[in-house]
Amino acid sequence: MPSLRQGFAARSRHGDRAYYNRLRRKTRPHRQWFGQNRTGFGFRKAAGTPRIRGRFPGNSSSVREMAYLKLVQGVEPGRVYELAPGETVVGRSGDCTIPLDAAAVSRHHAKVRSDGPRFLIEDLGSRNGTYVNGERVEGVRALAPGDRIVICDQEFEFGPPAMLGSGAMPLSGLLSGALPKDESTLSQMVVDDDAAKTRAGYMKTLDLGAGAGSWSMSAKPEVKLAALLEISNGLGRAISVDEVLPKILDSLFKIFVQADRGFIIMRPKEDGPLVPVQSKSRRADMDEKMRISRTIVEEAVSAKRAILSADAASDERFGMAQSIADFQIRSMMCAPMIDSDGVALGVIQIDTLNQRTRFTEDDLEVLAAVASQAATALDNAKMHDQMVSQRALQRDLELAAQMQRALLPKAAPQVAGYQFFDYYEAARQIGGDYYDYVSLPGGKFAVVLGDVAGKGVAAALIMARLSSDVRYSLAIEPDPAQAIMRINRAFVSQGLEDRFVTMIVLTVDPAKHEVTIVNAGHMNPMLRHAAGQVKEIAEEIAGLPLGVYEDYEYESYQCQLQPGESFTVYTDGFSEAMNEARELYSIERIAKQVGLDAATVEAIGGNVLADIRKFVAGYTQSDDMCLACFGRL
């Protein structure tokens, strides 16, 4: 028997309407997916989704309401993306409609756009191309249901909802704020009924909460085993929330053959209402009026109780519920999904219209066991989704660290008669410490060192912006003090009220060996004389950190740099480094190491690094560390 996918592929190759008639006769189990009318063929609506009618791409007039891309293989297998009207851009960039975190994918790789009843795909000049059914896309190509789209190592399946699983609604982004439908629309499916009535109509309840003690199953062992094996097989290979939810209902419909409708009701937002996030029905004519009793759902969640009503249509508990009145539901079961911490993640509800095949107490016990296993699967799926997100964040941080390193000097300047040494280590993957060598007009150069308040991503972003402002201001402003004032005004104008930056700038004229120092709230530079004496200088001109006061006037300090003399500047990650006893390394200890016998500035920096490593002895550091030394031979 040909599969539907093979059928659609053959349809796109041959364009033969008669092929559908042959396929339709040969695929009786799937006949609910097809419907013929005067305008052509169309898919019947899956539970909870808008009806999709009309001719397939390549045919003439009709209306197609929506389609989907399902990621079959790639970064998040099983994830379903709804193709909204207009354009859907796929690529590595975060501004794409479908972002793919894969290095081989171009930033803006391909796009899918709607054109009346058709959906068209176009490659956007990507490096590695876009392929449909193994053929590279050249120009614009129409998509047919079942088409396989390959973008590098990411493979999608294109088609309407019925081809992409039994689930009523696309679940991309579920439980992370993005609902498959508007939340108010979903909430309307959960209708209020009279909560003041007694529970006399309940045939059976099971307390499943941790405080209610354990409950045992009296169902036949073979029934229990078959049910648990079925749900295990259904959920065993599901690794994301988007996959788990539809598989739960698929498995339940195999276990309970009398079930006509099934729902999974959860809170997609922690403080939001209970809404159906997945549904399934055996007949398409049930889809239009799906309603769920709020009272029964809320009680199952709050009391952690599984509930059975043998004849919901006459049960006084549901006398006012529109869901019961609409369908004359004869029997229903509802069971909470309780995780390992005793928290009710949501509710599974199934019901039947057939009075002769009501659910029994044994059925309720089986559903309760299935709900428990489904909760475990959801727990695991959420952990998997969190791990995927964490890995994506880790890759972003690694890339950010590489970019930050690229902003730091690749090498020290080549200045006759001068030596340089520098060291940088972030406390986390990326940090807020900063140093730079800036070439200035007239053969001069500047050594800049800064420390952004805070650590991590926010500090790194400020540092990146600051580095460009420093280079620009020092290049156009010959007076270093005026340049720092310009940088300060630009920083204050950004409105970062809780952020400030300490910075020290030393500009050097190597022709005159003259050093000009401007200090914006930083530790004083250390001047080491040729004989080894070390002195902190320019303390009297130290000003406020950048970002504290917009119109602050900074002062400068000038001195001559004699042969054999050098400067050492550092951030507080050095002076405040701690050992296991929580003792600080201190400025005095830095000065002592700077003053040790050393023939080069590299030896001076090496002395400091060796001693501080010995001091901390592997104790984890909480702050970024930056050190720069320069001086005359």
Side-chain angles (χ1 to χ4, degrees), residues 569-585:
V569 288
Y570 55 93
T571 59
D572 58 6
F574 274 85
S575 57
E576 297 178 3
M578 290 188 293
N579 59 15
E580 192 173 1
R582 310 287 287 181
E583 298 170 331
L584 298 181
Y585 187 69

Side-chain angles (χ1 to χ4, degrees), residues 89-156:
V89 179
V90 183
R92 196 178 72 253
S93 175
D95 61 2
C96 290
T97 316
I98 302 179
L100 298 176
D101 186 17
V105 176
S106 298
R107 288 179 54 80
H108 298 90
H109 198 106
K111 70 178 179 181
V112 179
R113 61 181 174 87
S114 58
D115 180 23
R118 305 187 304 166
F119 281 86
L120 308 176
I121 188 168
E122 179 182 359
D123 186 85
L124 299 177
S126 65
R127 297 188 307 273
N128 298 314
T130 303
Y131 295 81
V132 175
N133 299 331
E135 298 177 3
R136 185 159 185 159
V137 175
E138 302 289 348
V140 178
R141 173 169 176 159
L143 292 172
D147 278 352
R148 288 297 182 109
I149 302 168
V150 175
I151 296 176
C152 300
D153 56 349
Q154 313 293 309
E155 183 176 358
F156 294 86

Side-chain angles (χ1 to χ4, degrees), residues 56-74:
F56 293 118
N59 291 329
S60 58
S61 63
S62 60
V63 176
R64 181 167 187 164
E65 297 182 8
M66 68 171 63
Y68 297 88
L69 287 179
K70 179 178 180 180
L71 189 58
V72 179
Q73 177 177 324

